[in-house]
Amino acid sequence: MPRNRRPQDPEAKREEILDAATELFTRLGYEGTSLKAIATSAGVTANTIYWYFPDKDTLLVGVVDRLLMAALTDLSALEDEPLAEQLLWVVQRLRDNHQLVTAVHARADTSPPIDAWHRRFHDLADAVLKEGFRQAGAPESGLDARTHMAVLVVEGLITHTHDGDRTRAILDLLAS
Amino acid sequence: MPRNRRPQDPEAKREEILDAATELFTRLGYEGTSLKAIATSAGVTANTIYWYFPDKDTLLVGVVDRLLMAALTDLSALEDEPLAEQLLWVVQRLRDNHQLVTAVHARADTSPPIDAWHRRFHDLADAVLKEGFRQAGAPESGLDARTHMAVLVVEGLITHTHDGDRTRAILDLLAS
DNA sequence: ACCTGAACACCGTTCAAGT
DNA sequence: ACCTGAACACCGTTCAAGT
């Protein structure tokens, strides 16, 4: 049996590459992780990644999109919790992935696919949070400004290290 | 006269390198700008930059520190304006430099000098904004959380494109 | 369809050598 | 003290070639 016939189905290989990229981007940062390192960790050669993804930026989009969807799914289990509690959960959940957030921001200006994903993310986050504010009984006036602001604050709390008390105080203020 | 004797004093050359780096980092981003491009624009060779700065990260610190000091100086002329007005001025003033902000965030985890500068920046921004809130008559209770949150929002407004109305609405909400 | 080895242009950084 | 040319290891990406 030849070495480069698929030992398993190609969807699984794609997932393995995404797994490896997620782990390494999270731990070493986007610029600090080479495609060679991802490939080695996934058991392939660097240029094999190009069969599954057109470039490194699009691989990053695959990584963050999968993480976002998983987080949203898990968040839905907390929909009856107070808003500040839900926001705190999001911040704690994504804090380990903060290097992914800063990478998206840093590369959105250069990479069209990252820019497009980033815009979709904000539209989605705005919509989810707006609904959260409504269910918390927030007044309709100024609701857009409030939700946009809240998304920026959550991003800021993920990308900046604060102790738990300060994080909580900010989120309480935000949800009040 | 030999070519590589200084035609002018070395402080001026250092400033020229900072000027070139500021312009190119701002326009093309940090990762999108090579030291060779900066050097050429400043009329030297790439490795000459290493006589003035230990590495590319420290050059970035030099750039952002100079921009921050200039912005703070100019801001002091507006100290009698309403707080929301001052914040709007800051956002508009630094919006063109948003690639510098995202670069600092993206590299703070990897580069000790950038991390150190970033912490100093937040300490300074917190202090300045806290005084701004006080002068605007904000209550002392919850003032820390409010200032930290406001700094995150200002960073978010700089790094995310919003139309003017939305920016203003968010800043009004923040200062109210 | 899937994977590789070899190559390409580029990058930040180092260093011995010049003036 | 200030600056350069040449080199180093590395990077993302391409492509002809293999199975």
Side-chain angles (χ1 to χ4, degrees), chain B residues 112-129:
Chain B
I114 292 184
D115 185 51
W117 183 87
H118 184 227
R119 291 172 191 277
R120 282 181 23 234
F121 161 74
H122 274 278
D123 289 345
L124 184 56
D126 283 345
V128 169
L129 201 46

PDB file of all heavy atoms in Angstrom, chain B residues 112-129:
ATOM      1  N   PRO B 112       8.574  41.032  24.988  1.00  0.00           N
ATOM      2  CA  PRO B 112       8.606  41.700  26.294  1.00  0.00           C
ATOM      3  C   PRO B 112       8.599  43.227  26.209  1.00  0.00           C
ATOM      4  O   PRO B 112       7.839  43.858  26.944  1.00  0.00           O
ATOM      5  CB  PRO B 112       9.892  41.165  26.929  1.00  0.00           C
ATOM      6  CG  PRO B 112      10.086  39.824  26.304  1.00  0.00           C
ATOM      7  CD  PRO B 112       9.591  39.967  24.887  1.00  0.00           C
ATOM      8  N   PRO B 113       9.383  43.860  25.338  1.00  0.00           N
ATOM      9  CA  PRO B 113       9.320  45.334  25.303  1.00  0.00           C
ATOM     10  C   PRO B 113       7.948  45.865  24.890  1.00  0.00           C
ATOM     11  O   PRO B 113       7.481  46.873  25.422  1.00  0.00           O
ATOM     12  CB  PRO B 113      10.392  45.734  24.278  1.00  0.00           C
ATOM     13  CG  PRO B 113      10.810  44.488  23.597  1.00  0.00           C
ATOM     14  CD  PRO B 113      10.493  43.357  24.485  1.00  0.00           C
ATOM     15  N   ILE B 114       7.295  45.190  23.953  1.00  0.00           N
ATOM     16  CA  ILE B 114       5.961  45.635  23.558  1.00  0.00           C
ATOM     17  C   ILE B 114       4.971  45.403  24.699  1.00  0.00           C
ATOM     18  O   ILE B 114       4.138  46.258  24.998  1.00  0.00           O
ATOM     19  CB  ILE B 114       5.494  44.927  22.263  1.00  0.00           C
ATOM     20  CG1 ILE B 114       6.351  45.407  21.085  1.00  0.00           C
ATOM     21  CG2 ILE B 114       4.015  45.191  21.995  1.00  0.00           C
ATOM     22  CD1 ILE B 114       5.933  44.848  19.745  1.00  0.00           C
ATOM     23  N   ASP B 115       5.097  44.266  25.353  1.00  0.00           N
ATOM     24  CA  ASP B 115       4.215  43.992  26.493  1.00  0.00           C
ATOM     25  C   ASP B 115       4.397  45.054  27.573  1.00  0.00           C
ATOM     26  O   ASP B 115       3.410  45.577  28.112  1.00  0.00           O
ATOM     27  CB  ASP B 115       4.524  42.603  27.050  1.00  0.00           C
ATOM     28  CG  ASP B 115       3.559  42.208  28.159  1.00  0.00           C
ATOM     29  OD1 ASP B 115       2.339  42.320  27.939  1.00  0.00           O
ATOM     30  OD2 ASP B 115       4.017  41.800  29.239  1.00  0.00           O
ATOM     31  N   ALA B 116       5.627  45.389  27.873  1.00  0.00           N
ATOM     32  CA  ALA B 116       5.894  46.391  28.915  1.00  0.00           C
ATOM     33  C   ALA B 116       5.306  47.744  28.523  1.00  0.00           C
ATOM     34  O   ALA B 116       4.675  48.428  29.345  1.00  0.00           O
ATOM     35  CB  ALA B 116       7.404  46.510  29.145  1.00  0.00           C
ATOM     36  N   TRP B 117       5.504  48.129  27.272  1.00  0.00           N
ATOM     37  CA  TRP B 117       4.951  49.416  26.833  1.00  0.00           C
ATOM     38  C   TRP B 117       3.432  49.404  26.905  1.00  0.00           C
ATOM     39  O   TRP B 117       2.808  50.385  27.332  1.00  0.00           O
ATOM     40  CB  TRP B 117       5.403  49.747  25.400  1.00  0.00           C
ATOM     41  CG  TRP B 117       4.903  51.097  24.973  1.00  0.00           C
ATOM     42  CD1 TRP B 117       5.500  52.305  25.179  1.00  0.00           C
ATOM     43  CD2 TRP B 117       3.653  51.379  24.320  1.00  0.00           C
ATOM     44  NE1 TRP B 117       4.720  53.318  24.695  1.00  0.00           N
ATOM     45  CE2 TRP B 117       3.583  52.784  24.162  1.00  0.00           C
ATOM     46  CE3 TRP B 117       2.601  50.593  23.859  1.00  0.00           C
ATOM     47  CZ2 TRP B 117       2.492  53.411  23.556  1.00  0.00           C
ATOM     48  CZ3 TRP B 117       1.509  51.217  23.259  1.00  0.00           C
ATOM     49  CH2 TRP B 117       1.473  52.608  23.111  1.00  0.00           C
ATOM     50  N   HIS B 118       2.838  48.299  26.472  1.00  0.00           N
ATOM     51  CA  HIS B 118       1.389  48.190  26.462  1.00  0.00           C
ATOM     52  C   HIS B 118       0.812  48.341  27.876  1.00  0.00           C
ATOM     53  O   HIS B 118      -0.202  49.022  28.070  1.00  0.00           O
ATOM     54  CB  HIS B 118       0.978  46.832  25.864  1.00  0.00           C
ATOM     55  CG  HIS B 118      -0.500  46.645  25.725  1.00  0.00           C
ATOM     56  ND1 HIS B 118      -1.151  45.509  26.128  1.00  0.00           N
ATOM     57  CD2 HIS B 118      -1.466  47.466  25.233  1.00  0.00           C
ATOM     58  CE1 HIS B 118      -2.450  45.637  25.887  1.00  0.00           C
ATOM     59  NE2 HIS B 118      -2.673  46.806  25.344  1.00  0.00           N
ATOM     60  N   ARG B 119       1.472  47.751  28.863  1.00  0.00           N
ATOM     61  CA  ARG B 119       1.008  47.906  30.244  1.00  0.00           C
ATOM     62  C   ARG B 119       1.130  49.354  30.701  1.00  0.00           C
ATOM     63  O   ARG B 119       0.231  49.910  31.325  1.00  0.00           O
ATOM     64  CB  ARG B 119       1.816  46.999  31.181  1.00  0.00           C
ATOM     65  CG  ARG B 119       1.528  45.525  30.966  1.00  0.00           C
ATOM     66  CD  ARG B 119       2.490  44.653  31.786  1.00  0.00           C
ATOM     67  NE  ARG B 119       2.392  43.261  31.396  1.00  0.00           N
ATOM     68  CZ  ARG B 119       1.465  42.424  31.867  1.00  0.00           C
ATOM     69  NH1 ARG B 119       0.584  42.848  32.751  1.00  0.00           N
ATOM     70  NH2 ARG B 119       1.425  41.173  31.456  1.00  0.00           N
ATOM     71  N   ARG B 120       2.262  49.969  30.383  1.00  0.00           N
ATOM     72  CA  ARG B 120       2.451  51.376  30.752  1.00  0.00           C
ATOM     73  C   ARG B 120       1.395  52.243  30.082  1.00  0.00           C
ATOM     74  O   ARG B 120       0.854  53.182  30.679  1.00  0.00           O
ATOM     75  CB  ARG B 120       3.852  51.858  30.375  1.00  0.00           C
ATOM     76  CG  ARG B 120       4.923  51.396  31.343  1.00  0.00           C
ATOM     77  CD  ARG B 120       6.324  51.922  30.952  1.00  0.00           C
ATOM     78  NE  ARG B 120       6.293  53.113  30.120  1.00  0.00           N
ATOM     79  CZ  ARG B 120       6.904  53.244  28.941  1.00  0.00           C
ATOM     80  NH1 ARG B 120       7.611  52.235  28.456  1.00  0.00           N
ATOM     81  NH2 ARG B 120       6.808  54.357  28.259  1.00  0.00           N
ATOM     82  N   PHE B 121       1.103  51.928  28.827  1.00  0.00           N
ATOM     83  CA  PHE B 121       0.066  52.684  28.126  1.00  0.00           C
ATOM     84  C   PHE B 121      -1.264  52.608  28.864  1.00  0.00           C
ATOM     85  O   PHE B 121      -1.928  53.644  29.071  1.00  0.00           O
ATOM     86  CB  PHE B 121      -0.113  52.183  26.692  1.00  0.00           C
ATOM     87  CG  PHE B 121      -1.433  52.585  26.097  1.00  0.00           C
ATOM     88  CD1 PHE B 121      -1.660  53.898  25.703  1.00  0.00           C
ATOM     89  CD2 PHE B 121      -2.464  51.660  25.978  1.00  0.00           C
ATOM     90  CE1 PHE B 121      -2.894  54.276  25.185  1.00  0.00           C
ATOM     91  CE2 PHE B 121      -3.693  52.029  25.472  1.00  0.00           C
ATOM     92  CZ  PHE B 121      -3.910  53.342  25.072  1.00  0.00           C
ATOM     93  N   HIS B 122      -1.662  51.405  29.273  1.00  0.00           N
ATOM     94  CA  HIS B 122      -2.954  51.273  29.943  1.00  0.00           C
ATOM     95  C   HIS B 122      -2.962  51.976  31.291  1.00  0.00           C
ATOM     96  O   HIS B 122      -3.961  52.592  31.674  1.00  0.00           O
ATOM     97  CB  HIS B 122      -3.358  49.801  30.068  1.00  0.00           C
ATOM     98  CG  HIS B 122      -4.066  49.298  28.845  1.00  0.00           C
ATOM     99  ND1 HIS B 122      -5.409  49.513  28.618  1.00  0.00           N
ATOM    100  CD2 HIS B 122      -3.606  48.640  27.759  1.00  0.00           C
ATOM    101  CE1 HIS B 122      -5.743  48.981  27.456  1.00  0.00           C
ATOM    102  NE2 HIS B 122      -4.674  48.439  26.913  1.00  0.00           N
ATOM    103  N   ASP B 123      -1.862  51.905  32.013  1.00  0.00           N
ATOM    104  CA  ASP B 123      -1.788  52.643  33.281  1.00  0.00           C
ATOM    105  C   ASP B 123      -1.983  54.143  33.042  1.00  0.00           C
ATOM    106  O   ASP B 123      -2.748  54.808  33.745  1.00  0.00           O
ATOM    107  CB  ASP B 123      -0.437  52.392  33.959  1.00  0.00           C
ATOM    108  CG  ASP B 123      -0.340  50.966  34.505  1.00  0.00           C
ATOM    109  OD1 ASP B 123      -1.389  50.305  34.614  1.00  0.00           O
ATOM    110  OD2 ASP B 123       0.779  50.530  34.820  1.00  0.00           O
ATOM    111  N   LEU B 124      -1.290  54.635  32.022  1.00  0.00           N
ATOM    112  CA  LEU B 124      -1.370  56.064  31.709  1.00  0.00           C
ATOM    113  C   LEU B 124      -2.768  56.445  31.241  1.00  0.00           C
ATOM    114  O   LEU B 124      -3.364  57.433  31.724  1.00  0.00           O
ATOM    115  CB  LEU B 124      -0.332  56.391  30.627  1.00  0.00           C
ATOM    116  CG  LEU B 124      -0.170  57.842  30.198  1.00  0.00           C
ATOM    117  CD1 LEU B 124       0.152  58.714  31.415  1.00  0.00           C
ATOM    118  CD2 LEU B 124       0.932  57.970  29.152  1.00  0.00           C
ATOM    119  N   ALA B 125      -3.316  55.662  30.317  1.00  0.00           N
ATOM    120  CA  ALA B 125      -4.648  55.958  29.782  1.00  0.00           C
ATOM    121  C   ALA B 125      -5.697  55.895  30.892  1.00  0.00           C
ATOM    122  O   ALA B 125      -6.594  56.754  30.960  1.00  0.00           O
ATOM    123  CB  ALA B 125      -4.995  54.972  28.663  1.00  0.00           C
ATOM    124  N   ASP B 126      -5.571  54.897  31.764  1.00  0.00           N
ATOM    125  CA  ASP B 126      -6.504  54.793  32.886  1.00  0.00           C
ATOM    126  C   ASP B 126      -6.441  56.049  33.754  1.00  0.00           C
ATOM    127  O   ASP B 126      -7.480  56.605  34.140  1.00  0.00           O
ATOM    128  CB  ASP B 126      -6.167  53.556  33.738  1.00  0.00           C
ATOM    129  CG  ASP B 126      -6.636  52.256  33.087  1.00  0.00           C
ATOM    130  OD1 ASP B 126      -7.444  52.324  32.147  1.00  0.00           O
ATOM    131  OD2 ASP B 126      -6.182  51.177  33.522  1.00  0.00           O
ATOM    132  N   ALA B 127      -5.222  56.493  34.058  1.00  0.00           N
ATOM    133  CA  ALA B 127      -5.063  57.654  34.935  1.00  0.00           C
ATOM    134  C   ALA B 127      -5.658  58.916  34.302  1.00  0.00           C
ATOM    135  O   ALA B 127      -6.383  59.677  34.957  1.00  0.00           O
ATOM    136  CB  ALA B 127      -3.584  57.870  35.247  1.00  0.00           C
ATOM    137  N   VAL B 128      -5.355  59.107  33.027  1.00  0.00           N
ATOM    138  CA  VAL B 128      -5.848  60.302  32.338  1.00  0.00           C
ATOM    139  C   VAL B 128      -7.380  60.291  32.271  1.00  0.00           C
ATOM    140  O   VAL B 128      -8.044  61.306  32.547  1.00  0.00           O
ATOM    141  CB  VAL B 128      -5.256  60.388  30.908  1.00  0.00           C
ATOM    142  CG1 VAL B 128      -5.967  61.454  30.094  1.00  0.00           C
ATOM    143  CG2 VAL B 128      -3.758  60.676  30.982  1.00  0.00           C
ATOM    144  N   LEU B 129      -7.929  59.151  31.926  1.00  0.00           N
ATOM    145  CA  LEU B 129      -9.376  59.070  31.761  1.00  0.00           C
ATOM    146  C   LEU B 129     -10.099  59.159  33.102  1.00  0.00           C
ATOM    147  O   LEU B 129     -11.181  59.763  33.196  1.00  0.00           O
ATOM    148  CB  LEU B 129      -9.739  57.763  31.043  1.00  0.00           C
ATOM    149  CG  LEU B 129     -11.101  57.762  30.360  1.00  0.00           C
ATOM    150  CD1 LEU B 129     -11.309  59.043  29.562  1.00  0.00           C
ATOM    151  CD2 LEU B 129     -11.216  56.559  29.444  1.00  0.00           C
TER     152      LEU B 129
END
